Amino acid sequence: MLAQDWVKTGTSLGVEKVRLAVPDFKPANADPQNAALVKTFNDTLWNDLDVSGIVELVSKSFYPLQVPGQPPEVNLLAWNVPPPNAAMLAFGNLGVAGGRLTVQGWLYDVKNAQTPQVLGKQYSDTASDAVARLMAHKFADEIIFRLGGGIQGIAETQIYFVSDRTGHKEIWAMDYDGSNQHQITRLGSISLSPRVSPDGSRVAFSSLTKTGWEIMMYSLDLNRPVSFPHLGGTNLSPAWSGDGLKLALSSSRSGEPEIYVADASGGNLRRVTTGKGPDVSPVWNRKTNGQIAFVSGRTGLPQIYSMEGDGTNLQRMTDQGYAVSPSWAPNGQFLCFAWVRKYGPGEPGASDIYLMDIASKQWVQLTHDGGRNDFPSWSPDGRHIVFQSNRSGTLQLWSMLADGSKIQQLTFTGHNSQPNWSWK
């Protein structure tokens, strides 16, 4: 097995990034609420575009002295020449009137003097910091959709995770950029492995109950736990199929941990692995709903395997070290996982995030020299990965582009782990 530097990840396709200028949106009027909301909007929009992986933001120090807040104020030539030399320009204004926040935003192709407007949007809602942030996310996603090959942006997605900041390990959620962190479960126990359903209506997880480790289900629509059958034994790491109809999970109900597949209701449970040694951490190929990747200790140290959903066509994906936590890319082409390639006494190996092309088994290392990295999870656009790492001294969540660049810390309070990115 050889490492390859040129495995294409969707963010490193060799395509030149669009050079985009994003001057701060201007206040539309003199309302005293504007100042704070303008800052929230501008900061959020800039960050969304900066981490998108598809644009090169022009440094604000290169901008002309006069920046536009609406179309008649645009001087295309001033943006078209050095130093800004922008290809595209996003601009607009926002203001509060009568308790409502209204945002007007435009995207201009500054190289096209005849018909420069690519996008014009207006948003209006009750004025609040959360609404200003949401409007920035929506406008960023519109821009990313148009400049990024028609792939939906992720600015409105959620990340579910485990946090101990209340004294117990509970399931939490946050916006993709780490803002709006809020507690989901209040079970006062240990809850692990949150996995949100493809339609975003439920979160499956495992929790330590009076009868042992059980699969639990939480309805995000009803804001409360909903019933799921007791399976017997130790039950861990539920995983949704891409159509939301099935769950794979690890259960020791028949002895050693094995992979089982059930209907989303928990019914029709059937065992799909039979190998010696523990089989855990299943994850579906969300594109085909046909294959499952999982971790098995059948040959000693944990390795990544793949198989069809009925257990046939078993293939070993890693052949050395200690490999865990597989996550299947939305396009079905890649597996991401945590790997200690040189594992054992005296070995200098570290736990890093790797990406493998499934067909060729060629891989690239995405994290380097930064603590213990584990539990990668893909964003729905396939351009980003969230993961846990202790690189800052405590266990926190981080995101990066799928080529390993643009690493950002998302959590700072307590210990946070096992992130799972929503499907859309």
Side-chain angles (χ1 to χ4, degrees), residues 307-359:
M307 62 181 174
E308 298 299 316
D310 60 3
T312 60
N313 192 25
L314 183 74
Q315 294 192 42
R316 183 170 171 174
M317 306 303 292
T318 56
D319 61 1
Q320 67 182 96
Y322 187 108
V324 294
S325 308
S327 177
W328 213 309
N331 66 5
Q333 188 180 351
F334 303 113
L335 276 178
C336 212
F337 51 93
W339 201 6
V340 185
R341 284 180 51 223
K342 296 178 180 176
Y343 183 84
E347 293 282 4
S351 178
D352 278 302
I353 307 296
Y354 287 77
L355 180 149
M356 177 180 283
D357 177 73
I358 292 168

Side-chain angles (χ1 to χ4, degrees), residues 93-313:
N93 61 79
L94 72 163
V96 178
R100 291 186 70 80
L101 172 65
T102 299
V103 170
Q104 292 181 303
W106 292 270
L107 178 67
Y108 270 27
D109 179 351
V110 299
K111 309 290 188 190
N112 184 350
Q114 297 302 314
T115 52
Q117 182 169 323
V118 175
L119 175 67
K121 300 294 289 188
Q122 177 168 313
Y123 309 99
S124 185
D125 202 342
T126 306
S128 74
D129 195 67
V131 164
R133 182 173 286 110
L134 180 62
M135 289 177 176
H137 285 331
K138 285 180 180 293
F139 190 55
D141 273 351
E142 292 278 1
I143 294 172
I144 291 163
F145 180 74
R146 278 162 179 78
L147 301 185
I151 298 173
Q152 296 289 344
I154 56 163
E156 295 180 73
T157 59
Q158 295 276 299
I159 293 170
Y160 294 83
F161 59 101
V162 175
S163 182
D164 70 353
R165 67 187 74 177
T166 61
H168 298 282
K169 286 193 172 182
E170 303 280 5
I171 307 303
W172 283 63
M174 63 183 174
D175 296 350
Y176 95 100
D177 58 1
S179 63
N180 189 29
Q181 298 186 16
H182 57 283
Q183 189 173 352
I184 301 291
T185 65
R186 288 175 170 77
L187 299 174
S189 175
I190 302 173
S191 295
L192 300 173
S193 312
R195 296 288 183 268
V196 65
S197 61
D199 66 1
S201 69
R202 287 167 291 171
V203 177
F205 57 100
S206 51
S207 192
L208 185 58
T209 71
K210 291 175 183 172
T211 54
W213 282 98
E214 300 280 4
I215 302 299
M216 306 278 284
M217 195 68 72
Y218 190 95
S219 168
L220 296 168
D221 293 336
L222 303 174
N223 251 337
R224 62 173 175 78
V226 292
S227 64
F228 194 84
H230 297 291
L231 302 179
T234 295
N235 303 284
L236 298 168
S237 54
W240 294 91
S241 60
D243 56 13
L245 299 177
K246 289 175 286 188
L247 280 175
L249 55 98
S250 171
S251 177
S252 67
R253 65 200 309 264
S254 59
E256 274 196 315
E258 301 284 354
I259 306 300
Y260 286 75
V261 173
D263 297 341
S265 63
N268 197 20
L269 186 72
R270 52 207 181 274
R271 177 175 164 180
V272 293
T273 59
T274 55
K276 292 178 67 176
D279 295 331
V280 297
S281 305
V283 58
W284 292 87
N285 179 341
R286 62 169 77 178
K287 185 168 186 184
T288 66
N289 291 319
Q291 296 84 36
I292 294 173
F294 64 103
V295 176
S296 179
R298 61 188 65 193
T299 60
L301 291 174
Q303 300 293 332
I304 308 289
Y305 290 77
S306 74
M307 62 181 174
E308 298 299 316
D310 60 3
T312 60
N313 192 25

